Amino acid sequence: MRQFGLIGFPLSHSFSKGYFANKFLTENILDAEYENYPIESIDVFASLWDNNPSLRGLNVTIPYKKLVIPFLQHPSEVVKSIQACNCIRLYKGDLYGYNTDVIGFEQSLLPFLQSHHQKALILGTGGAAAAVEWVLKKLAIPYQLVSRTQSEGCIPYTALSSATIAAHTLIINTSPVGMYPNTEEAPILPYEAITAKHHLYDLVYNPAQTKFLALGAAQGATTQNGLEMLHIQANASWEIWNSVTPFQQ
């Protein structure tokens, strides 16, 4: 039986295990299992493979997307570029690292992009933001990072004016603001400046409509949450684990 799984800590609200359990059931995949591995320290990463000889691949979530990179013999160019890995494959004794966040974000965003989506705001500066940055660079969409505090290349929320919102018709929330159970929270924006030409993307998927998305929709904007991105990511991981030779990214 081939084993796959997810490492992170904590893993009390993991999406992946339920997704793969359903996938294996509905697609009649009988030779694979998917488990959660809530490891409290990256120091036990190597022993995880030693103790589970049938382990063939892992997904990686907070707080280990960066910390696993030194363990990889073959990090992809994307992983090296954004310094975040969320998918690992064991192949002929070596660990190959990938980032399926970029796959999920790009493929889920593309159907919503219009010609007037010329500039973007990225809310948050964590690992997910790095994946979003990589995709926007690939798509040649200029962007501005926004966070609670100002830093090089990043402006604070307090600097967001109506003119800034009007000029950036693609707004992507990569922060956990508004995630369950804090569903009444939303990034602090001048929402009154949002129009029907705006598209709001929230990487949060629980709740399905965050306050951020609801406030944007009330102004006529198109909106999407992060659930489709998660589905695409999971399927991309499965393709990576089952490709004949290591996936090129």
Side-chain angles (χ1 to χ4, degrees), residues 115-238:
S115 59
H116 55 264
H117 294 137
Q118 300 278 326
K119 292 182 180 180
L121 292 176
I122 302 176
L123 311 182
T125 55
V132 169
E133 284 188 73
W134 193 91
V135 171
L136 294 183
K137 287 177 184 175
K138 179 183 176 183
L139 298 176
I141 298 175
Y143 61 86
Q144 172 64 61
L145 290 168
V146 185
S147 188
R148 287 172 293 181
T149 55
Q150 185 169 356
S151 59
E152 185 177 353
C154 180
I155 63 173
Y157 285 98
T158 53
L160 291 175
S161 64
S162 293
T164 304
I165 295 296
H168 295 78
T169 51
L170 181 60
I171 307 177
I172 303 135
N173 179 40
T174 71
S175 78
V177 175
M179 181 185 295
Y180 178 85
N182 302 310
T183 57
E184 291 305 309
E185 296 181 359
I188 301 172
L189 310 176
Y191 287 94
E192 66 278 4
I194 290 174
T195 69
K197 288 191 173 183
H198 281 80
H199 180 66
L200 274 58
Y201 191 136
D202 200 332
L203 268 59
V204 171
Y205 66 93
N206 182 17
Q209 186 181 55
T210 58
K211 188 174 182 180
F212 166 68
L213 295 183
L215 290 170
Q219 296 294 118
T222 57
T223 64
Q224 68 182 126
N225 65 25
L227 187 59
E228 184 185 12
M229 177 177 168
L230 280 177
H231 289 175
I232 296 170
Q233 284 175 258
N235 288 326
S237 293
W238 187 245

Side-chain angles (χ1 to χ4, degrees), residues 28-43:
N28 200 33
I29 298 169
L30 303 177
D31 67 337
E33 295 177 331
Y34 193 100
E35 296 294 337
N36 283 344
Y37 299 101
I39 60 175
E40 295 189 38
S41 169
I42 196 63
D43 295 338

Side-chain angles (χ1 to χ4, degrees), residues 78-95:
V78 174
V79 168
K80 288 188 283 188
S81 174
I82 69 176
Q83 285 297 292
C85 170
N86 73 335
C87 179
I88 299 172
R89 177 184 178 177
L90 177 67
Y91 180 79
K92 293 186 177 180
D94 284 354
L95 296 179

